[in-house]
mmCIF file of all heavy atoms in Angstrom:
data_model
loop_
_atom_site.group_PDB
_atom_site.id
_atom_site.type_symbol
_atom_site.label_atom_id
_atom_site.label_comp_id
_atom_site.label_asym_id
_atom_site.label_seq_id
_atom_site.Cartn_x
_atom_site.Cartn_y
_atom_site.Cartn_z
ATOM 1 N N ASP A 13 -128.988 -16.148 48.534
ATOM 2 C CA ASP A 13 -130.088 -16.861 47.898
ATOM 3 C C ASP A 13 -129.597 -18.216 47.422
ATOM 4 O O ASP A 13 -128.396 -18.428 47.249
ATOM 5 C CB ASP A 13 -130.687 -16.080 46.726
ATOM 6 C CG ASP A 13 -132.160 -16.429 46.491
ATOM 7 O OD1 ASP A 13 -132.665 -17.395 47.107
ATOM 8 O OD2 ASP A 13 -132.798 -15.747 45.679
ATOM 9 N N GLU A 14 -130.548 -19.121 47.248
ATOM 10 C CA GLU A 14 -130.276 -20.463 46.729
ATOM 11 C C GLU A 14 -130.784 -20.512 45.291
ATOM 12 O O GLU A 14 -131.885 -20.046 45.001
ATOM 13 C CB GLU A 14 -130.988 -21.504 47.581
ATOM 14 C CG GLU A 14 -130.669 -22.930 47.198
ATOM 15 C CD GLU A 14 -131.317 -23.945 48.127
ATOM 16 O OE1 GLU A 14 -132.263 -23.593 48.857
ATOM 17 O OE2 GLU A 14 -130.870 -25.095 48.102
ATOM 18 N N PHE A 15 -129.965 -21.048 44.401
ATOM 19 C CA PHE A 15 -130.272 -21.089 42.974
ATOM 20 C C PHE A 15 -130.182 -22.499 42.432
ATOM 21 O O PHE A 15 -129.493 -23.350 42.986
ATOM 22 C CB PHE A 15 -129.282 -20.209 42.190
ATOM 23 C CG PHE A 15 -129.316 -18.770 42.577
ATOM 24 C CD1 PHE A 15 -128.468 -18.282 43.553
ATOM 25 C CD2 PHE A 15 -130.190 -17.884 41.963
ATOM 26 C CE1 PHE A 15 -128.483 -16.947 43.917
ATOM 27 C CE2 PHE A 15 -130.221 -16.552 42.307
ATOM 28 C CZ PHE A 15 -129.366 -16.080 43.287
ATOM 29 N N ARG A 16 -130.845 -22.715 41.296
ATOM 30 C CA ARG A 16 -130.790 -23.993 40.578
ATOM 31 C C ARG A 16 -130.641 -23.708 39.088
ATOM 32 O O ARG A 16 -131.096 -22.688 38.598
ATOM 33 C CB ARG A 16 -132.082 -24.776 40.814
ATOM 34 C CG ARG A 16 -132.123 -26.067 40.007
ATOM 35 C CD ARG A 16 -133.385 -26.879 40.292
ATOM 36 N NE ARG A 16 -133.403 -28.050 39.456
ATOM 37 C CZ ARG A 16 -132.768 -29.177 39.722
ATOM 38 N NH1 ARG A 16 -132.073 -29.297 40.819
ATOM 39 N NH2 ARG A 16 -132.835 -30.202 38.900
ATOM 40 N N ARG A 17 -130.000 -24.630 38.408
ATOM 41 C CA ARG A 17 -129.970 -24.601 36.947
ATOM 42 C C ARG A 17 -130.127 -26.014 36.445
ATOM 43 O O ARG A 17 -129.715 -26.979 37.088
ATOM 44 C CB ARG A 17 -128.680 -23.993 36.413
ATOM 45 C CG ARG A 17 -127.475 -24.869 36.612
ATOM 46 C CD ARG A 17 -126.251 -24.287 35.971
ATOM 47 N NE ARG A 17 -125.111 -25.109 36.348
ATOM 48 C CZ ARG A 17 -124.010 -25.173 35.678
ATOM 49 N NH1 ARG A 17 -123.866 -24.451 34.582
ATOM 50 N NH2 ARG A 17 -123.029 -25.935 36.069
ATOM 51 N N ASP A 18 -130.769 -26.119 35.301
ATOM 52 C CA ASP A 18 -130.933 -27.408 34.647
ATOM 53 C C ASP A 18 -130.086 -27.377 33.388
ATOM 54 O O ASP A 18 -130.270 -26.504 32.542
ATOM 55 C CB ASP A 18 -132.406 -27.639 34.297
ATOM 56 C CG ASP A 18 -133.269 -27.699 35.548
ATOM 57 O OD1 ASP A 18 -132.881 -28.420 36.485
ATOM 58 O OD2 ASP A 18 -134.309 -27.028 35.591
ATOM 59 N N PRO A 19 -129.124 -28.292 33.254
ATOM 60 C CA PRO A 19 -128.198 -28.256 32.120
ATOM 61 C C PRO A 19 -128.892 -28.216 30.753
ATOM 62 O O PRO A 19 -128.389 -27.592 29.828
ATOM 63 C CB PRO A 19 -127.379 -29.541 32.273
ATOM 64 C CG PRO A 19 -127.483 -29.880 33.722
ATOM 65 C CD PRO A 19 -128.826 -29.391 34.169
ATOM 66 N N GLU A 20 -130.066 -28.849 30.640
ATOM 67 C CA GLU A 20 -130.761 -28.866 29.353
ATOM 68 C C GLU A 20 -131.528 -27.565 29.085
ATOM 69 O O GLU A 20 -131.991 -27.335 27.971
ATOM 70 C CB GLU A 20 -131.721 -30.063 29.282
ATOM 71 C CG GLU A 20 -132.875 -30.009 30.253
ATOM 72 C CD GLU A 20 -132.561 -30.493 31.671
ATOM 73 O OE1 GLU A 20 -131.405 -30.867 31.964
ATOM 74 O OE2 GLU A 20 -133.476 -30.472 32.497
ATOM 75 N N ASP A 21 -131.613 -26.694 30.086
ATOM 76 C CA ASP A 21 -132.343 -25.432 29.971
ATOM 77 C C ASP A 21 -131.329 -24.288 29.875
ATOM 78 O O ASP A 21 -130.625 -24.002 30.830
ATOM 79 C CB ASP A 21 -133.242 -25.254 31.194
ATOM 80 C CG ASP A 21 -134.103 -24.022 31.132
ATOM 81 O OD1 ASP A 21 -133.853 -23.140 30.291
ATOM 82 O OD2 ASP A 21 -135.032 -23.933 31.955
ATOM 83 N N MET A 22 -131.271 -23.623 28.774
ATOM 84 C CA MET A 22 -130.248 -22.607 28.527
ATOM 85 C C MET A 22 -130.519 -21.270 29.223
ATOM 86 O O MET A 22 -129.768 -20.323 29.067
ATOM 87 C CB MET A 22 -130.098 -22.383 27.019
ATOM 88 C CG MET A 22 -129.698 -23.640 26.254
ATOM 89 S SD MET A 22 -128.221 -24.432 26.932
ATOM 90 C CE MET A 22 -126.989 -23.309 26.323
ATOM 91 N N ARG A 23 -131.575 -21.183 30.029
ATOM 92 C CA ARG A 23 -131.875 -19.917 30.711
ATOM 93 C C ARG A 23 -130.924 -19.618 31.850
ATOM 94 O O ARG A 23 -130.846 -18.502 32.321
ATOM 95 C CB ARG A 23 -133.309 -19.921 31.220
ATOM 96 C CG ARG A 23 -134.323 -19.834 30.089
ATOM 97 C CD ARG A 23 -135.715 -19.833 30.623
ATOM 98 N NE ARG A 23 -136.014 -21.181 31.149
ATOM 99 C CZ ARG A 23 -137.131 -21.514 31.746
ATOM 100 N NH1 ARG A 23 -138.067 -20.618 31.941
ATOM 101 N NH2 ARG A 23 -137.337 -22.742 32.166
ATOM 102 N N GLY A 24 -130.208 -20.615 32.352
ATOM 103 C CA GLY A 24 -129.232 -20.388 33.416
ATOM 104 C C GLY A 24 -129.813 -20.570 34.807
ATOM 105 O O GLY A 24 -130.785 -21.287 35.004
ATOM 106 N N TRP A 25 -129.204 -19.902 35.777
ATOM 107 C CA TRP A 25 -129.561 -20.045 37.179
ATOM 108 C C TRP A 25 -130.841 -19.285 37.499
ATOM 109 O O TRP A 25 -131.055 -18.180 37.015
ATOM 110 C CB TRP A 25 -128.437 -19.509 38.062
ATOM 111 C CG TRP A 25 -127.170 -20.284 37.956
ATOM 112 C CD1 TRP A 25 -126.105 -20.005 37.147
ATOM 113 C CD2 TRP A 25 -126.811 -21.456 38.680
ATOM 114 N NE1 TRP A 25 -125.120 -20.933 37.329
ATOM 115 C CE2 TRP A 25 -125.521 -21.835 38.265
ATOM 116 C CE3 TRP A 25 -127.456 -22.219 39.643
ATOM 117 C CZ2 TRP A 25 -124.867 -22.942 38.785
ATOM 118 C CZ3 TRP A 25 -126.795 -23.323 40.167
ATOM 119 C CH2 TRP A 25 -125.518 -23.678 39.731
ATOM 120 N N PHE A 26 -131.680 -19.870 38.378
ATOM 121 C CA PHE A 26 -132.879 -19.176 38.845
ATOM 122 C C PHE A 26 -133.073 -19.473 40.332
ATOM 123 O O PHE A 26 -132.664 -20.519 40.837
ATOM 124 C CB PHE A 26 -134.117 -19.574 38.032
ATOM 125 C CG PHE A 26 -134.394 -21.043 37.997
ATOM 126 C CD1 PHE A 26 -135.247 -21.622 38.923
ATOM 127 C CD2 PHE A 26 -133.812 -21.860 37.029
ATOM 128 C CE1 PHE A 26 -135.513 -22.993 38.888
ATOM 129 C CE2 PHE A 26 -134.069 -23.222 36.984
ATOM 130 C CZ PHE A 26 -134.920 -23.780 37.923
ATOM 131 N N SER A 27 -133.665 -18.524 41.035
ATOM 132 C CA SER A 27 -133.844 -18.652 42.474
ATOM 133 C C SER A 27 -134.838 -19.763 42.804
ATOM 134 O O SER A 27 -135.904 -19.862 42.207
ATOM 135 C CB SER A 27 -134.353 -17.327 43.057
ATOM 136 O OG SER A 27 -134.625 -17.477 44.438
ATOM 137 N N ILE A 28 -134.454 -20.584 43.779
ATOM 138 C CA ILE A 28 -135.382 -21.580 44.323
ATOM 139 C C ILE A 28 -135.592 -21.345 45.820
ATOM 140 O O ILE A 28 -136.450 -21.959 46.425
ATOM 141 C CB ILE A 28 -134.917 -23.030 44.062
ATOM 142 C CG1 ILE A 28 -133.559 -23.296 44.687
ATOM 143 C CG2 ILE A 28 -134.936 -23.329 42.577
ATOM 144 C CD1 ILE A 28 -133.135 -24.761 44.676
ATOM 145 N N GLY A 29 -134.791 -20.463 46.390
ATOM 146 C CA GLY A 29 -134.894 -20.204 47.826
ATOM 147 C C GLY A 29 -135.713 -18.969 48.138
ATOM 148 O O GLY A 29 -136.317 -18.858 49.197
ATOM 149 N N TYR A 30 -135.712 -18.033 47.210
ATOM 150 C CA TYR A 30 -136.448 -16.776 47.375
ATOM 151 C C TYR A 30 -136.066 -16.050 48.665
ATOM 152 O O TYR A 30 -136.915 -15.514 49.363
ATOM 153 C CB TYR A 30 -137.963 -17.020 47.291
ATOM 154 C CG TYR A 30 -138.340 -17.727 46.018
ATOM 155 C CD1 TYR A 30 -138.693 -19.071 46.028
ATOM 156 C CD2 TYR A 30 -138.298 -17.064 44.793
ATOM 157 C CE1 TYR A 30 -139.010 -19.733 44.847
ATOM 158 C CE2 TYR A 30 -138.622 -17.711 43.608
ATOM 159 C CZ TYR A 30 -138.968 -19.046 43.648
ATOM 160 O OH TYR A 30 -139.278 -19.697 42.484
ATOM 161 N N HIS A 31 -134.760 -16.050 48.945
ATOM 162 C CA HIS A 31 -134.234 -15.352 50.122
ATOM 163 C C HIS A 31 -133.537 -14.043 49.739
ATOM 164 O O HIS A 31 -133.046 -13.337 50.606
ATOM 165 C CB HIS A 31 -133.218 -16.236 50.861
ATOM 166 C CG HIS A 31 -133.748 -17.577 51.235
ATOM 167 N ND1 HIS A 31 -134.719 -17.750 52.204
ATOM 168 C CD2 HIS A 31 -133.462 -18.813 50.773
ATOM 169 C CE1 HIS A 31 -134.990 -19.043 52.323
ATOM 170 N NE2 HIS A 31 -134.245 -19.695 51.462
ATOM 171 N N GLY A 32 -133.470 -13.739 48.465
ATOM 172 C CA GLY A 32 -132.656 -12.634 47.967
ATOM 173 C C GLY A 32 -133.032 -11.254 48.448
ATOM 174 O O GLY A 32 -132.226 -10.336 48.383
ATOM 175 N N GLU A 33 -134.239 -11.072 48.953
ATOM 176 C CA GLU A 33 -134.658 -9.753 49.428
ATOM 177 C C GLU A 33 -134.310 -9.512 50.894
ATOM 178 O O GLU A 33 -134.383 -8.380 51.366
ATOM 179 C CB GLU A 33 -136.160 -9.567 49.210
ATOM 180 C CG GLU A 33 -136.555 -9.581 47.737
ATOM 181 C CD GLU A 33 -135.858 -8.493 46.928
ATOM 182 O OE1 GLU A 33 -135.778 -7.339 47.413
ATOM 183 O OE2 GLU A 33 -135.382 -8.803 45.818
ATOM 184 N N LYS A 34 -133.942 -10.569 51.619
ATOM 185 C CA LYS A 34 -133.556 -10.397 53.022
ATOM 186 C C LYS A 34 -132.267 -9.592 53.080
ATOM 187 O O LYS A 34 -131.365 -9.798 52.275
ATOM 188 C CB LYS A 34 -133.369 -11.760 53.692
ATOM 189 C CG LYS A 34 -134.647 -12.554 53.772
ATOM 190 C CD LYS A 34 -134.415 -13.931 54.338
ATOM 191 C CE LYS A 34 -135.719 -14.733 54.326
ATOM 192 N NZ LYS A 34 -135.507 -16.123 54.671
ATOM 193 N N ARG A 35 -132.179 -8.674 54.040
ATOM 194 C CA ARG A 35 -131.019 -7.785 54.142
ATOM 195 C C ARG A 35 -130.297 -7.994 55.463
ATOM 196 O O ARG A 35 -130.927 -8.154 56.510
ATOM 197 C CB ARG A 35 -131.453 -6.330 54.011
ATOM 198 C CG ARG A 35 -131.985 -6.038 52.633
ATOM 199 C CD ARG A 35 -132.352 -4.566 52.459
ATOM 200 N NE ARG A 35 -132.801 -4.344 51.098
ATOM 201 C CZ ARG A 35 -132.001 -4.094 50.082
ATOM 202 N NH1 ARG A 35 -130.701 -4.013 50.267
ATOM 203 N NH2 ARG A 35 -132.495 -3.911 48.876
ATOM 204 N N PHE A 36 -128.968 -7.944 55.369
ATOM 205 C CA PHE A 36 -128.108 -8.109 56.529
ATOM 206 C C PHE A 36 -127.061 -7.007 56.516
ATOM 207 O O PHE A 36 -126.634 -6.560 55.450
ATOM 208 C CB PHE A 36 -127.426 -9.488 56.494
ATOM 209 C CG PHE A 36 -128.417 -10.623 56.457
ATOM 210 C CD1 PHE A 36 -128.893 -11.090 55.236
ATOM 211 C CD2 PHE A 36 -128.900 -11.185 57.617
ATOM 212 C CE1 PHE A 36 -129.826 -12.111 55.187
ATOM 213 C CE2 PHE A 36 -129.838 -12.207 57.584
ATOM 214 C CZ PHE A 36 -130.301 -12.678 56.363
#
């Protein structure tokens, strides 16, 4: 999956790719 974080936002990393459910 592809993730993003914004330094000013303390929530941390969040998915921006939404590929995490694909299985290999």
Side-chain angles (χ1 to χ4, degrees):
D13 207 350
E14 185 176 18
F15 299 92
R16 176 177 177 83
R17 71 175 173 157
D18 297 312
E20 66 277 2
D21 184 346
M22 300 307 285
R23 290 180 289 177
W25 295 95
F26 56 93
S27 176
I28 60 170
Y30 305 106
H31 305 291
E33 296 301 316
K34 295 176 183 171
R35 294 183 178 274
F36 302 88

